[in-house]
Amino acid sequence: TTSPTSAPTTLAPTAPPTAAPTPAGRWNASDWSDCSAPCGGGRRTRTVSCLDDAGAEAAPTTCPARAPATEAPCNTLVCPNYTTLWSPWEECSLTCGNGTQTASAVCYSTYGAAVFAPAPIDNCAAEDTSPRQRRCNTDPCGEFRWGA
């Protein structure tokens, strides 16, 4: 048996696939604002707008699909606590006859039980940070005699 021969099939030319149109605009973001908190988790914001090739504001649909963030977390570290530690007593001001010794307050930031770093004394203002004084060498001084 012979098979029927078929004529070659001619296909109509097809157009190449078209890519999605490239957005004409571009995102423009301002500088970030100051953080809303110094520690413990704050927020910062900025404005974002779509600009055309001439730099004029354009519809957001003319910019790439995802706009830059307008809000972000900041200063997320835990806030420190503050504690007052005292310096050692200074040397007595006199060797006899009611001298004084002074100890000074030093403020430190703490995270949990760990003492971290010196901090401005105003951070420990809830405590009395005025210098402490105590008497020392209270024995009377011996008498000095000329020519004895």
Side-chain angles (χ1 to χ4, degrees), residues 57-113:
E57 196 157 334
T61 54
T62 65
C63 276
R66 181 167 288 194
T70 59
E71 196 173 294
C74 55
N75 295 342
T76 56
L77 293 177
V78 174
C79 293
N81 292 313
Y82 295 96
T83 190
T84 302
L85 301 177
W86 292 90
S87 71
W89 290 103
E90 294 175 0
E91 284 190 37
C92 190
S93 62
L94 300 173
T95 56
C96 59
N98 293 324
T100 57
Q101 288 179 298
T102 303
S104 301
V106 181
C107 185
Y108 282 89
S109 60
T110 60
Y111 293 91

Side-chain angles (χ1 to χ4, degrees), residues 27 65 90 121 144:
W27 293 111
E90 294 175 0
I121 197 71
F144 179 79

Side-chain angles (χ1 to χ4, degrees), residues 10-61:
T10 306
L11 297 174
T14 57
T18 57
T22 304
R26 62 182 166 80
W27 293 111
N28 182 57
S30 68
D31 291 338
W32 287 107
S33 67
D34 290 337
C35 191
S36 63
C39 56
R43 304 292 296 166
R44 60 186 182 163
T45 60
R46 65 181 177 180
T47 58
V48 172
S49 56
C50 180
L51 301 180
D52 64 18
D53 291 337
E57 196 157 334
T61 54

